[in-house]
Amino acid sequence: MNRESNGYTFLFATVMVVLVASALAFAATALKPDQEANIKKEKMQYILKSFGVAVERDASEEAYKKHIISEVVFDENGTEISKDAFTVDIAKEKGKFPIFNAEKDGKKFYVIPVRGMGLWDAIWGYVSVDENLKVDGIVFDHKAETPGLGGEITQDYFQKSFIGESVFDANGNLQGLKVVKGYSGKDNKADGEVDAISGATLTGNGVTEMLVRGLKPYEKYLKSNKK
């Protein structure tokens, strides 16, 4: 075949496309188990970090088995439907509410996953509540918030501002947690409010919506487990 002909060029290009596509498909298939394992370990890290257990990714499974004493999934009526909370994807499985019962240094914690929308895309997190129904810790992450602005929700200074906040009001009703622009009551841990991030109002609004809506289904469960 004439290598300078259009037919040869077309055939060569077609063969190369098929070979490259096949190689990429094989690589994706071969790497999938490792990718899934890393996603699983990262989720464990999030859950553990919410109540103060920070471990490297490779140590996450052992730490998870040590500190997570049980898992529960219930429906919108508060009826238990499963004990496998870890595999529930709250972004896709509406009406399922997973919770992780944890223990550290003789104390119990209830870890609740939450998910919402920031300014640009999805935001999510894990809220750890102690037996007195106060926040012990919280972890946030995001897909596409602006670095230095909404992206600051992943920073320790913001996440730590929630510690000690009460999830319930003085009347025993779940009030959730709120991000408030210009908030000045930093010493008031009863109102469930924290100061917003400067220049990230819309992301802060998304965090508030996520926390108020996301915690509400757990009101009955948390009340029944209050110390």
Side-chain angles (χ1 to χ4, degrees), residues 55-140:
V55 295
E56 295 296 327
R57 185 168 296 182
D58 288 341
S60 60
E61 290 189 78
E62 183 178 349
Y64 187 88
K65 291 177 182 178
K66 176 182 178 181
H67 293 286
I68 302 301
I69 56 178
S70 66
E71 302 176 9
V72 179
V73 183
F74 50 88
D75 61 19
E76 58 270 17
N77 298 315
T79 303
E80 183 178 326
I81 56 176
S82 172
K83 293 186 181 297
D84 182 12
F86 192 84
T87 60
V88 175
D89 184 347
I90 61 173
K92 300 176 181 178
E93 300 180 69
K94 306 301 182 184
K96 289 185 178 181
F97 304 100
I99 190 166
F100 304 87
N101 298 313
E103 192 172 85
K104 185 187 73 169
D105 299 331
K107 298 179 181 179
K108 293 182 179 180
F109 306 96
Y110 308 101
V111 182
I112 299 169
V114 291
R115 189 177 181 90
M117 283 295 297
L119 173 59
W120 302 113
D121 212 315
I123 55 176
W124 59 89
Y126 291 87
V127 182
S128 173
V129 179
D130 65 20
E131 291 182 281
N132 295 312
L133 307 184
K134 296 182 182 298
V135 176
D136 180 73
I138 200 164
V139 178
F140 294 123

Side-chain angles (χ1 to χ4, degrees), residues 20-224:
V20 171
S22 298
L24 290 174
F26 175 79
T29 301
L31 292 173
K32 188 175 181 180
D34 288 338
Q35 292 172 338
E36 291 178 343
N38 284 333
I39 291 172
K40 177 182 178 181
K41 291 176 182 178
E42 183 181 51
K43 183 174 181 177
M44 289 179 175
Q45 284 181 295
Y46 281 135
I47 294 169
L48 292 165
K49 186 179 178 182
S50 72
F51 57 94
V53 178
V55 295
E56 295 296 327
R57 185 168 296 182
D58 288 341
S60 60
E61 290 189 78
E62 183 178 349
Y64 187 88
K65 291 177 182 178
K66 176 182 178 181
H67 293 286
I68 302 301
I69 56 178
S70 66
E71 302 176 9
V72 179
V73 183
F74 50 88
D75 61 19
E76 58 270 17
N77 298 315
T79 303
E80 183 178 326
I81 56 176
S82 172
K83 293 186 181 297
D84 182 12
F86 192 84
T87 60
V88 175
D89 184 347
I90 61 173
K92 300 176 181 178
E93 300 180 69
K94 306 301 182 184
K96 289 185 178 181
F97 304 100
I99 190 166
F100 304 87
N101 298 313
E103 192 172 85
K104 185 187 73 169
D105 299 331
K107 298 179 181 179
K108 293 182 179 180
F109 306 96
Y110 308 101
V111 182
I112 299 169
V114 291
R115 189 177 181 90
M117 283 295 297
L119 173 59
W120 302 113
D121 212 315
I123 55 176
W124 59 89
Y126 291 87
V127 182
S128 173
V129 179
D130 65 20
E131 291 182 281
N132 295 312
L133 307 184
K134 296 182 182 298
V135 176
D136 180 73
I138 200 164
V139 178
F140 294 123
D141 209 342
H142 64 90
K143 185 175 181 180
E145 297 307 289
T146 307
L149 297 174
E152 291 290 288
I153 64 172
T154 63
Q155 297 301 307
D156 283 347
Y157 79 87
F158 180 67
Q159 296 176 6
K160 287 181 178 179
S161 67
F162 288 89
I163 294 177
E165 292 289 342
S166 179
V167 177
F168 286 76
D169 63 22
N171 296 317
N173 299 312
L174 191 140
Q175 63 185 354
L177 300 165
K178 303 177 182 68
V179 178
V180 180
K181 186 177 181 180
Y183 180 69
S184 59
K186 292 183 179 180
D187 295 328
N188 182 6
K189 294 294 185 178
D191 59 8
E193 298 180 353
V194 303
D195 194 17
I197 298 168
S198 179
T201 300
L202 295 180
T203 300
N205 291 344
V207 171
T208 294
E209 190 280 331
M210 173 177 71
L211 292 173
V212 173
R213 171 185 49 78
L215 292 174
K216 185 63 178 177
Y218 298 90
E219 181 171 9
K220 180 180 177 181
Y221 185 89
L222 292 174
K223 279 184 175 180
S224 67

